Amino acid sequence: VRVQKSVFETRMKSNHELKLLLEKIKKIISPKEDSIRFYPFDQITESNIHILGEGEVFEREEYYIF
């Protein structure tokens, strides 16, 4: 089952910054057609990231994949 068409990775400096991003996204998506998912990563999850092909694991900061 195909889950995504696009994946974006961003680092959040605070929960407030995340809330602002969520509010902006809510204003531009079509809830009946779009699905936006946020996944917080902790140090354990990050240490298990494997990349095939181009790419790199970024230095540790608070970030989410959506």
Side-chain angles (χ1 to χ4, degrees):
V1 175
R2 184 177 174 147
V3 176
Q4 58 74 232
K5 292 184 180 177
S6 298
V7 174
F8 301 92
E9 181 176 310
T10 184
R11 296 175 182 185
M12 300 281 99
K13 294 178 182 175
S14 67
N15 283 335
H16 177 71
E17 189 177 40
L18 175 60
K19 288 178 185 178
L20 291 175
L21 178 62
L22 290 171
E23 290 303 317
K24 288 179 181 180
I25 291 172
K26 284 180 190 178
K27 292 177 183 177
I28 61 173
I29 69 166
S30 176
K32 292 184 179 183
E33 296 178 14
D34 298 321
S35 174
I36 310 295
R37 301 171 188 197
F38 290 80
Y39 301 96
F41 278 48
D42 59 19
Q43 285 182 323
I44 295 170
T45 303
E46 183 180 18
S47 68
N48 289 306
I49 293 174
H50 301 280
I51 297 174
L52 302 176
E54 294 289 324
E56 61 185 82
V57 177
F58 297 105
E59 291 180 20
R60 174 80 177 120
E61 288 186 35
E62 197 69 27
Y63 66 92
Y64 294 79
I65 304 284
F66 64 94

